[in-house]
Amino acid sequence: MAQLDAQELAQAFRRQFEMEPKIFSAPGRVNLIGEHTDYNDGFVLPSAIGFYAHVAVVPRKDTKIILRSTEFEQTFEANISSAGLHKLGGWCDYVLGVAAQLSERGIQVPGANILVHGEVPIGAGLSSSAALEVASAMGFLSLAKAEMPLKEIAKLCQRAENEFVGAHVGIMDQFVSCHGRKGNAVMLDCRSLDCELVPIPDSVKFVICNTMVKHELSGGEYNVRRQQCEAGVRILANAYRGIRALRDVSLQQLQAQASSMPEIIYKRCLHVVAENDRVIETARMLRAGNLKSVGKLMADSHASLRDLYEVSCAELDLMVEAAQGLLGFIGGRMTGGGFGGCTVNLVEEQHAAKFAEMVAERYKAKTTISPDVFMCSAADGAGVEIEGRR
Ligand code: GLA
């Protein structure tokens, strides 16, 4: 996809709306480990990456929101009147959902002309939607001359996706799009929203490989996984006191209840409980500089997502396999919701370019699909940008 910088986006905006816009940006993310743990009140370890959603905005005198994108033809029009905003179907709903949530909180969002440019590949598991939500929230808050703490912005964007779009996602993506920090992963406790920065060694690159199989979270399987986890919690809460989420369950407690739950529910719970432990261990090993152990934990995570949580797919498994044994490879796994999208690989910087080439070649040989492969490092979140650091 052609990438526009802020100036080009402003020019495109002026051409379309004949006004001078303000531009707000928020990044996508890659999750190093801790998959499908966020909505179980657990732990995650994502980094923001240097692909952004940019939202160019100017206020209007009426209550209309006119929405265009540099990538898609269609213009959407909505009205922030007393009747409220409604889902229109399509990418515009991420923006409208945020406006609706702000209005619900009593923040007077004016009508606006909006042009969106997304660099984050769509449906690749790199949080193009969270990036768009967070950038939109920053834009609307500025138009409304209102302020909101970053954590509240992240929660509001999550609610927009849950309630307006209908994808019952957790808090990880919106949180790291706000709070990411250059050179670091963010270990987030998704219950308390306390977070710690975990430095990524300078000698390590993220090589992100897109299977080119698109995933879709707003339907089916993602929400089914959430329901299965909730079913597990109901059974475990009967057996033990103080269980509110899978976060509260130890491996021993879960194993002791294996016979009291359907096998499929047990498998889902087993993934989540063990994955939480892996996140904490990965952060510890990264801090200790033990990259070999980090690689092993990532491999275990992938196997668990494939066999227990069943959210991988043939292409993701092939992409993970394609990385094995390549020079400089530290560890790799599927990243994000699954059912397609990307793998993330930690690779020694000096070998990263060759690794990217080889992994693409191997994947293509097996699938006939040419994958997109990106070399990235951990980037700053939107919050750092609005504090004027960039
Ligand atoms: C998607 C969701 C996140 C998280 C991941 C799986 O990216 O948006 O909240 O649940 O899937 O870890």
Side-chain angles (χ1 to χ4, degrees):
M1 174 194 323
Q3 290 197 4
L4 302 183
D5 62 23
Q7 269 188 3
E8 288 168 326
L9 179 60
Q11 268 168 20
F13 190 96
R14 282 194 294 271
R15 271 199 305 278
Q16 299 201 25
F17 292 111
E18 295 174 352
M19 282 181 258
E20 187 61 37
K22 271 194 173 179
I23 296 180
F24 299 85
S25 309
R29 62 98 189 94
V30 69
N31 188 20
L32 303 186
I33 198 159
E35 221 63 84
H36 292 274
T37 44
D38 60 352
Y39 53 81
N40 288 298
D41 277 2
F43 298 92
V44 291
L45 191 66
S47 289
I49 51 175
F51 292 109
Y52 294 83
H54 304 285
V55 173
V57 288
V58 291
R60 291 174 59 94
K61 294 208 169 63
D62 57 19
T63 51
K64 281 185 193 163
I65 297 188
I66 310 287
L67 275 163
R68 291 188 192 148
S69 150
T70 57
E71 296 136 274
F72 304 105
E73 281 294 309
Q74 205 177 348
T75 298
F76 292 98
E77 187 174 323
N79 207 318
I80 319 191
S81 58
S82 49
L85 290 164
H86 302 287
K87 211 171 148 171
L88 297 180
W91 64 267
C92 62
D93 288 339
Y94 297 102
V95 183
L96 296 177
V98 169
Q101 283 295 330
L102 287 167
S103 305
E104 248 175 58
R105 286 184 57 145
I107 294 176
Q108 292 271 324
V109 176
N113 291 336
I114 301 180
L115 180 65
V116 165
H117 177 68
E119 299 167 1
V120 190
I122 295 171
L126 301 177
S127 293
S128 55
S129 40
L132 180 54
E133 289 153 9
V134 172
S136 303
M138 301 290 184
F140 285 131
L141 282 166
S142 158
L143 291 185
K145 300 192 173 42
E147 286 189 358
M148 194 181 269
L150 263 190
K151 274 186 191 170
E152 292 306 314
I153 294 177
K155 287 200 271 185
L156 182 131
C157 291
Q158 181 200 12
R159 267 201 308 280
E161 193 153 343
N162 291 169
E163 290 170 20
F164 198 86
V165 179
H168 296 146
V169 295
I171 188 70
M172 167 169 69
D173 305 347
Q174 292 80 4
F175 190 94
V176 74
S177 183
C178 288
H179 289 269
R181 197 54 71 86
K182 194 167 186 240
N184 289 273
V186 179
M187 181 158 97
L188 173 66
D189 176 335
C190 298
R191 172 172 279 166
S192 65
L193 298 193
D194 289 341
C195 65
E196 284 172 29
L197 296 180
V198 180
I200 305 292
D202 288 342
S203 58
V204 174
K205 277 264 174 211
F206 304 153
V207 181
I208 298 173
C209 305
N210 191 349
T211 60
M212 313 307 273
V213 177
K214 286 208 174 186
H215 81 159
E216 173 68 66
L217 291 186
S218 56
E221 288 298 316
Y222 184 92
N223 292 348
V224 169
R225 293 300 179 283
R226 278 199 81 139
Q227 287 156 10
Q228 289 168 332
C229 292
E230 284 156 17
V233 170
R234 282 194 293 276
I235 296 167
L236 290 156
N238 272 333
Y240 306 107
R241 285 161 64 119
I243 305 280
R244 284 195 284 140
L246 288 179
R247 149 71 175 277
D248 302 312
V249 181
S250 72
L251 199 53
Q252 290 77 359
Q253 284 177 321
L254 176 64
Q255 283 163 345
Q257 291 301 315
S259 58
S260 59
M261 55 180 80
E263 195 195 343
I264 192 162
I265 303 292
Y266 179 70
K267 279 166 57 176
R268 305 302 189 238
C269 295
L270 187 54
H271 163 73
V272 174
V273 171
E275 183 82 350
N276 274 328
D277 292 345
R278 280 191 286 268
V279 175
I280 292 165
E281 192 57 10
T282 302
R284 207 165 71 83
M285 290 297 118
L286 270 173
R287 288 202 170 101
N290 186 342
L291 295 178
K292 196 163 174 229
S293 296
V294 170
K296 167 83 170 65
L297 287 156
M298 290 176 85
D300 291 349
S301 169
H302 185 80
S304 175
L305 288 157
R306 181 190 61 212
D307 302 335
L308 298 176
Y309 217 66
E310 296 178 282
V311 291
S312 188
C313 63
E315 292 84 358
L316 280 168
D317 295 343
L318 283 171
M319 193 70 92
V320 164
E321 227 172 79
Q324 305 303 317
L326 290 178
L327 206 59
F329 175 66
I330 296 163
R333 52 183 284 282
M334 57 159 272
T335 187
F339 310 108
C342 293
T343 64
V344 56
N345 300 279
L346 300 190
V347 183
E348 289 166 19
E349 187 174 24
Q350 79 220 65
H351 299 296
K354 186 75 191 159
F355 174 94
E357 195 185 301
M358 294 293 295
V359 90
E361 206 172 276
R362 285 181 172 184
Y363 181 74
K364 186 166 184 201
K366 290 255 161 124
T367 60
T368 73
I369 305 170
S370 290
D372 286 340
V373 178
F374 316 103
M375 276 194 284
C376 311
S377 307
D380 281 332
V384 176
E385 187 177 42
I386 55 167
E387 284 156 20
R389 294 264 301 269
R390 206 169 23 184

